Amino acid sequence: MTPSLVKPSPNKSLSQFIRYLLVGGFNTAFGYSVFALLNWLFRGLGSFSYMYAWLIANLIAITAAFLAYKWFVFRTQGNYVREWIRCFSVYGSGMIFGLIALPILVTALRHTMRRPELASYLAVALLTTVTVILSFFGHREFSFRQGLVGKDLKPPPEAPNA
């Protein structure tokens, strides 16, 4: 059997998950920082300016996460564009949820917080937590799955028993 068709050992899976957590932790902090900066810069664009900041920050953070996951976590050799599209589709499902949930959550938080101007920051932090947990499985099973991104991985013909 070729190495790409052998199931990963538990140690490899654990090390991959630890790398995922480290890269994901960095990217979460990076993405949130980009959002916070853009949100602050866009604050004069109206009460929904956080949505502009959130969308742009997501595009930047998804691209950074894709490269880090590809090079350091899943270590794939596949096509960059195809894998980026798959990676984006995993995060895209979270973005669709965020497009709906974020304005609702921000509105609710603005009515309950002592400093309503901070509602968008808290809402994005809460949504990010959900995205981090769910995205690992999406990336492992779809974005960077070797059967999808590798070349033709048909099993070799069985060797005759001698």
Side-chain angles (χ1 to χ4, degrees), residues 70 76-81 83 146 149-150:
K70 179 172 182 57
T76 62
Q77 302 297 317
N79 180 289
Y80 276 80
V81 174
E83 286 181 355
Q146 284 297 296
V149 299

Side-chain angles (χ1 to χ4, degrees), residues 37-54:
L37 175 64
L38 292 174
N39 196 35
W40 181 78
L41 290 172
F42 295 168
R43 68 190 180 280
L45 298 178
S47 61
F48 288 98
S49 60
Y50 63 88
M51 292 298 290
Y52 305 125
W54 181 76

Side-chain angles (χ1 to χ4, degrees), residues 65-80 83 144 149:
F66 161 71
L67 293 171
Y69 292 147
K70 179 172 182 57
W71 295 336
F72 302 115
V73 178
F74 300 106
R75 299 175 178 166
T76 62
Q77 302 297 317
N79 180 289
Y80 276 80
E83 286 181 355
F144 299 101
V149 299

Side-chain angles (χ1 to χ4, degrees), residues 100-117:
I100 297 166
L102 190 56
I104 295 168
L105 189 53
V106 168
T107 301
L109 289 171
R110 281 180 177 162
H111 290 4
T112 60
M113 293 178 67
R114 288 185 184 183
R115 296 190 53 201
E117 69 276 8

Side-chain angles (χ1 to χ4, degrees), residues 1-9 12 146 153 156:
M1 251 185 192
T2 62
S4 62
L5 296 175
V6 176
K7 286 192 168 229
S9 70
K12 182 179 179 194
Q146 284 297 296
L153 294 178

Side-chain angles (χ1 to χ4, degrees), residues 62 66 79-92 139 142-144:
I62 288 169
F66 161 71
N79 180 289
Y80 276 80
V81 174
R82 196 173 325 149
E83 286 181 355
W84 186 86
I85 291 169
R86 286 187 182 126
C87 183
F88 190 82
S89 69
V90 168
Y91 282 121
H139 291 312
F142 183 66
S143 302
F144 299 101

